[in-house]
Amino acid sequence: MARIVLGILLTAIFTTLGLLHVYWAVAGIGGKSVAVPSVDGKPLFTPSTFATLLVATALFTAALVVAGVCGWLGTLIPPRVFRIMTLGISVVFLIRAVGEFKYVGFFKSVTNSGFAYWDTWLFSPLCLFIAVASFLIWYRS
């Protein structure tokens, strides 16, 4: 039962985040100013449309992986493939939550930007939730 609830939550989160990235890629600006780390009000990088769509594709793929490991996609692809990929999702999001110790993650040192605020209160906790939930789904499948 917990696996189903976590699977639904993760699928919804990944799909929502994927749609948000598609919105940003096609000229959406809402929330974009705090989506990238910045210093003195200047973003450290400007994601290209292609890169943003690539992230969206990765997020949609993660949603499909979670659906697959929960058994919602049938048996065409062996379940062990979805299990391995789910563990990979868990590791990637745990690394993202921990961060690189300067601009991103729970242990960042630069904390005086809009991104840093949202990273502390939303992005990193969400990444930690995704990491733990993915791990639990992997462990229980």
Side-chain angles (χ1 to χ4, degrees), residues 62-86:
L64 288 172
V65 167
V66 171
V69 82
C70 289
W72 302 332
L73 298 181
T75 58
L76 185 62
I77 298 173
R80 72 176 178 273
V81 172
F82 290 122
R83 286 195 77 231
I84 291 166
M85 293 176 80
T86 302

Side-chain angles (χ1 to χ4, degrees), residues 42-116:
K42 296 181 182 181
L44 293 179
F45 62 94
T46 303
S48 68
T49 299
F50 177 76
T52 305
L53 288 173
L54 199 59
V55 171
T57 301
L59 291 163
F60 290 136
T61 301
L64 288 172
V65 167
V66 171
V69 82
C70 289
W72 302 332
L73 298 181
T75 58
L76 185 62
I77 298 173
R80 72 176 178 273
V81 172
F82 290 122
R83 286 195 77 231
I84 291 166
M85 293 176 80
T86 302
L87 184 58
I89 289 168
S90 180
V91 169
V92 165
F93 278 90
L94 180 61
I95 291 168
R96 166 53 183 87
V98 170
E100 42 75 75
F101 303 103
K102 187 159 185 179
Y103 299 108
V104 176
F106 282 119
F107 302 104
K108 66 187 157 296
S109 57
V110 176
T111 59
N112 59 346
S113 69
F115 171 85

Side-chain angles (χ1 to χ4, degrees), residues 115 118 135:
F115 171 85
W118 286 105
F135 179 81

